[in-house]
């Protein structure tokens, strides 16, 4: 009998294949019959949006409109599919703020503009061009990544912390509001922080990037609450995650590589620690936006649930979940949202609108 030598002969699967297997196992249960279409979209070319740079003097808006793009924020249609009006019951241990009941509506900054090609149109954007001062006209990013920035609802004079900021797409969107009194930008990776600095210099005039307006650091964000607690009006916690689309498409720098298994398994704990630090950094009455680009329940809802519980039990901080359904109603024609999430909202990829995944949940500090 010939002995099979598995260890020596079995081909090593590339990380992208390991990611597909992992997602098939977990998301087919989590998303049920939605998974095959979400899977197909995630394995297809993603769609971008062009975040307009208000600091640039070139005619990007006119040019992009001439190509058929629309600003999905200001030119949104009012009709939203009726399925988005339905929502399952909230869990009893989590208090939801019903914006409708409170009469409190999300106010969208008129300065954040993002152009997209219409549904089903997969035209690619040309690279942005610099104006006479060298500032680029737009920044290409997943248009759904703007939703956490819009949901953060930055108001005039706010102090804002962007805890995991690099390479800086959301930072740039927050700066477009031109409402922030002081912006604290942090990312623990020194090389990625350098990239972020380059992005800022390509898009924002020097006089906006002074020490009075802005601070850039490379600290471990999990320690932020110990350094600067009860301080910020708004905190964005855009955590490292399994970056599902990247994991499916690129073998380089893939978190499903065998040598990164430990790092991948530790992600939910790191995410929890970052969110708790962000909660501590916010002032009482302040708001925190948690976001990821994964579909994983363990990295999304479970992290938020744990954070709400631990903030209350360990730090005596009581939080309220802010209802983001208004945002979902506003942008239901541009993005596909996951139905029946009891905590937060999630954009799920779809072939006709291939943005996301983006999960977001907003918390308000009551104490
Ligand atoms: N917000 C960014 C944007 O819009 O361009 C994307 C952020 S990315 C999803 C997550 C970031 O978290 C990475 O740049 C990573 O370097 C950073 N990170 C990982 N661990 C961290 C930690 N302990 N503290 C702060 N940042 C961390």
């Amino acid at each position: 009998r010939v002995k099979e030598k598995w260890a020596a002969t079995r081909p090593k699967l590339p990380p992208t294949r390991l990611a597909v297997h992992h997602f098939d196992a977990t998301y087919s249960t989590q998303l049920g019959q939605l998974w095959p279409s979400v899977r197909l979209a995630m394995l297809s070319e993603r769609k971008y949006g062009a975040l307009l740079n208000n600091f640039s003097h070139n005619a990007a808006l006119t040019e992009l409109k001439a190509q058929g793009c629309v600003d999905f924020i200001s030119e949104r249609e009012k009709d939203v599919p009726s399925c988005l009006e339905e929502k399952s019951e909230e869990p009893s241990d989590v208090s939801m703020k019903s914006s409708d009941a409170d009469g409190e509506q999300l106010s969208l900054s008129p300065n954040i503009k993002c152009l997209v090609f219409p549904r089903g149109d997969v035209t690619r954007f040309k690279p942005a061009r610099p104006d006479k001062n060298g500032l680029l006209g737009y920044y290409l990013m997943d248009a759904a990544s703007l939703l956490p920035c819009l949901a953060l609802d930055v108001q005039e004079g706010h102090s804002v912390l962007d805890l995991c900021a690099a390479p800086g797409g959301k930072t740039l969107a927050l700066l477009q509001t031109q409402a922030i009194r002081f912006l604290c930008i942090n990312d623990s990776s020194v090389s990625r922080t350098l990239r972020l600095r380059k992005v800022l210099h390509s898009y924002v005039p020097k006089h906006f990037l002074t020490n009075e307006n802005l601070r850039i650091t490379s600290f471990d964000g999990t320690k932020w609450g110990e350094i600067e607690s009860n301080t910020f009006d708004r905190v964005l916690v855009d955590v490292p995650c399994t970056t599902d689309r990247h994991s499916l498409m690129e073998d380089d720098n893939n978190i499903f590589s065998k040598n990164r298994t430990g790092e991948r398994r530790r992600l939910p704990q790191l995410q929890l620690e970052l969110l708790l630090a962000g909660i501590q950094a916010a002032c009482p009455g302040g708001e925190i936006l948690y976001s990821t680009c994964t579909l994983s329940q363990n990295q999304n809802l479970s992290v938020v649930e744990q954070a709400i519980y631990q903030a209350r039990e360990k730090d005596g901080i009581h939080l309220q979940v802010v209802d983001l359904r208004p945002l979902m109603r506003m942008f239901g024609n541009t993005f596909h949202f996951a139905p029946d999430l009891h905590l937060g909202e999630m954009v799920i990829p779809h072939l006709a609108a291939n943005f996301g995944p983006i999960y977001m949940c907003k918390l308000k500090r009551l104490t």
Side-chain angles (χ1 to χ4, degrees):
R1 208 167 73 108
V2 181
K3 224 176 175 184
E4 283 179 82
K5 283 199 280 178
W6 281 106
T9 53
R10 212 175 179 186
K12 249 173 95 182
L13 290 181
T16 42
R17 285 288 296 282
L18 293 173
V20 178
H21 290 173
H22 180 88
F23 294 158
D24 278 336
T26 48
Y27 297 155
S28 55
T29 316
Q30 193 187 304
L31 294 174
Q33 58 189 23
L34 283 176
W35 174 234
S37 70
V38 174
R39 183 185 197 271
L40 184 63
M42 287 217 288
L43 289 167
S44 308
E45 189 170 323
R46 74 184 316 164
K47 219 173 147 169
Y48 284 91
L51 169 69
L52 204 75
N53 184 18
N54 298 313
F55 301 113
S56 168
H57 292 297
N58 71 19
L61 181 64
T62 321
E63 285 169 18
L64 290 170
K65 283 196 169 180
Q67 290 168 38
C69 291
V70 287
D71 174 12
F72 84 85
I73 302 166
S74 67
E75 298 171 52
R76 61 186 183 274
E77 291 167 37
K78 300 290 175 268
D79 298 327
V80 165
S82 57
C83 61
L84 296 181
E85 303 291 335
E86 309 261 324
K87 188 90 181 178
S88 62
E89 293 250 307
E90 315 307 342
S92 53
D93 61 333
V94 172
S95 59
M96 284 290 279
K97 182 170 90 176
S98 162
S99 337
D100 291 339
D102 290 349
E104 235 183 278
Q105 283 290 337
L106 204 68
S107 53
L108 300 181
S109 167
N111 295 334
I112 300 182
K113 300 185 187 78
C114 182
L115 287 107
V116 292
F117 285 98
R119 265 183 90 82
D121 181 339
V122 292
T123 310
R124 291 182 188 159
F125 287 98
K126 294 183 187 130
R129 284 184 296 105
D131 68 2
K132 59 181 188 319
N133 300 319
L135 299 178
L136 296 170
Y138 52 83
Y139 181 87
L140 295 182
M141 63 197 290
D142 186 328
S145 294
L146 277 179
L147 295 181
C149 305
L150 292 168
L152 196 61
D153 194 16
V154 170
Q155 305 284 320
E156 196 66 42
H158 272 168
S159 63
V160 180
L161 167 63
D162 190 351
L163 194 59
C164 309
K170 296 188 188 71
T171 312
L172 200 56
L174 293 174
L175 282 169
Q176 296 302 320
T177 64
Q178 296 189 41
I180 299 175
R181 176 173 48 81
F182 190 75
L183 177 61
C184 219
I185 304 167
N186 181 68
D187 196 286
S188 62
S189 156
V190 174
S191 58
R192 286 174 66 91
T193 309
L194 259 173
R195 234 174 101 193
L196 181 144
R197 281 182 187 276
K198 281 191 188 143
V199 168
L200 293 186
H201 284 106
S202 305
Y203 286 87
V204 186
K206 281 201 179 66
H207 64 271
F208 271 89
L209 305 175
T210 65
N211 292 340
E212 284 99 72
N213 308 324
L214 175 140
R215 189 171 75 205
I216 305 177
T217 52
S218 292
F219 298 143
D220 174 1
T222 62
K223 305 281 185 287
W224 205 280
E226 296 163 24
I227 312 165
E228 208 170 24
S229 58
N230 304 327
T231 303
F232 295 93
D233 299 296
R234 296 287 186 266
V235 181
L236 179 60
V237 187
D238 186 34
V239 293
C241 67
T242 44
T243 50
D244 293 1
R245 239 183 225 278
H246 178 88
S247 296
L248 282 175
M249 302 304 268
E250 302 276 338
D251 282 319
D252 274 357
N253 191 24
N254 191 314
I255 197 144
F256 283 86
S257 315
K258 280 277 182 235
N259 60 1
R260 294 183 71 188
T261 307
E263 184 190 342
R264 179 164 56 82
R265 295 207 175 124
R266 283 193 297 276
L267 275 175
Q269 182 58 30
L270 173 62
Q271 292 159 341
L272 174 62
E273 287 175 26
L274 285 165
L275 178 52
L276 282 167
I279 290 168
Q280 288 163 352
C283 60
E287 298 184 338
I288 304 103
L289 197 297
Y290 176 78
S291 58
T292 73
C293 55
T294 174
L295 297 164
S296 160
Q297 212 161 349
N298 287 344
Q299 297 174 63
N300 295 336
L301 287 84
S302 305
V303 169
V304 176
E305 270 168 355
Q306 271 292 315
I308 293 172
Y309 175 78
Q310 288 198 21
R312 188 180 57 217
E313 297 302 310
K314 289 190 180 161
D315 303 321
I317 298 175
H318 290 257
L319 296 154
Q320 186 178 44
V321 179
V322 180
D323 186 0
L324 293 180
R325 276 176 292 181
L327 203 75
M328 191 169 151
R329 290 194 200 103
M330 282 177 204
F331 300 118
N333 285 310
T334 304
F335 305 105
H336 279 249
F337 288 91
D340 305 329
L341 283 199
H342 70 261
L343 200 53
E345 301 296 347
M346 183 160 70
V347 173
I348 52 172
H350 186 282
L351 270 187
N354 209 351
F355 303 109
I358 292 291
Y359 172 80
M360 62 200 154
C361 186
K362 188 172 177 181
L363 304 171
K364 184 183 174 80
R365 260 187 76 162
L366 300 178
T367 56

